[in-house]
């Protein structure tokens, strides 16, 4: 059940799915507590993954460069706070992203050059096999999660090949949840976070039927509370999680675990939530996805007779 005044309570319920017969545990990756998978004089990068998505978290200085050659599908570059700036180059031209923003980069060759340093996130699907192999938790996904729907990209954007950049500083609006942007492979939700601990009597436990949530802690300290259903096969039961983990980190939350994240730090507690592919339920809410005109939704599937 969502907390008081949580706009996600208005989402339409999905059709009932067959009951699961096995579950996957969550994956928690504390970037602050491990060496980076990639390191240069100008950038340190930690990589972790889930079933569908790779999170590359980097602390960067001006002049750092990230290149992709023959990138297989679209990826996202996220600047999580003001003050950072990058130049993104593809064959068709160069684009600047600055301050809190997300850029969707088309497949093929691309180069990201840091102009003003700070922190950046790059989000890829696991089709980028070279990056998937580097992930600190790669072994956890050697076997597929049976409850995650097979990945399928959404339609290409309107207007052809170019880098599309969107601000994460759009003012809040009554009745709209967060600041949601979607690409053809990934959805990003910018949240403001909150200062101080979240009230223990106003959490938002909920579950997803067939997709993961990637909660990237950017600031503060969190407890991720998870509970899995009991099924007839007790050998598949999983104990509740109450995982305390600070920022920077990522929690990969599998379906159909009931979950809620509780900020417990005295300062700013802030998450960036991502989904791969984009969420249908968020996308179906008029006005929630701020770049919906650029990225069409798939045609609805007809129910089997």
């Amino acid at each position: 059940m969502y907390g008081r005044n949580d706009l996600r309570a208005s989402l339409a319920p999905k059709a009932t799915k067959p009951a699961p017969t096995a579950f996957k545990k969550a994956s928690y990756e504390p970037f602050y507590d491990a060496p980076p998978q990639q390191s240069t004089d100008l950038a340190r990068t930690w990589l972790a993954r889930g079933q569908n998505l790779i999170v590359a978290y980097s602390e960067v200085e001006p002049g750092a460069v990230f290149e992709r050659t023959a990138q297989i599908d679209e990826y996202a570059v996220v600047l999580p706070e003001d003050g950072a700036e990058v130049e993104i180059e593809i064959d068709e031209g160069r684009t600047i992203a600055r301050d809190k923003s997300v850029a969707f980069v088309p497949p093929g060759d691309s180069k990201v050059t840091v102009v003003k340093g700070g922190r950046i996130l790059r989000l890829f699907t696991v089709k980028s096999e070279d990056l998937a192999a580097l992930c600190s938790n790669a072994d956890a996904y050697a076997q597929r999660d049976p409850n995650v729907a097979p990945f399928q990209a959404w339609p290409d954007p309107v207007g052809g090949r170019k880098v599309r950049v969107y601000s994460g500083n759009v003012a809040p609006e009554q009745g709209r949840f967060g600041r949601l942007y979607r690409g053809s492979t990934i959805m990003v939700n910018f949240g403001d976070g909150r200062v101080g601990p979240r009230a223990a009597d106003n959490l938002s436990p909920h579950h997803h039927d067939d997709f993961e949530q990637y909660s990237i802690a950017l600031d503060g300290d969190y407890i991720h509370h998870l509970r899995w259903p009991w099924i007839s096969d007790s050998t598949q039961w999983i104990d509740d999680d109450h995982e305390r983990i600070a920022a920077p980190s990522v929690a990969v939350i599998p379906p159909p675990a009931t979950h809620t994240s509780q900020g417990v730090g005295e300062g700013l507690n802030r998450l960036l939530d991502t989904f791969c592919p984009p969420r249908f339920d968020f996308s179906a809410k008029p006005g929630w996805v701020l770049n919906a005109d650029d990225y069409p939704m798939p045609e609805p599937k007809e129910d089997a007779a």
Side-chain angles (χ1 to χ4, degrees), residues 279-302:
R279 287 179 62 159
F280 277 94
D281 54 355
F282 280 179
S283 295
K285 297 289 288 186
W288 278 27
V289 177
L290 295 173
N291 66 336
D293 290 343
D294 293 344
Y295 281 90
M297 291 181 66
E299 292 294 328
K301 296 179 181 179
E302 295 183 5

Side-chain angles (χ1 to χ4, degrees), residues 54-66:
I54 299 165
V55 176
Y57 169 89
S58 300
E59 297 173 351
V60 297
E61 301 291 338
V65 174
F66 301 95

Side-chain angles (χ1 to χ4, degrees), residues 226-237:
L226 279 78
R227 170 168 289 180
W228 285 261
W230 282 7
I231 57 176
S232 58
D233 182 357
S234 65
T235 67
Q236 299 299 322
W237 293 357

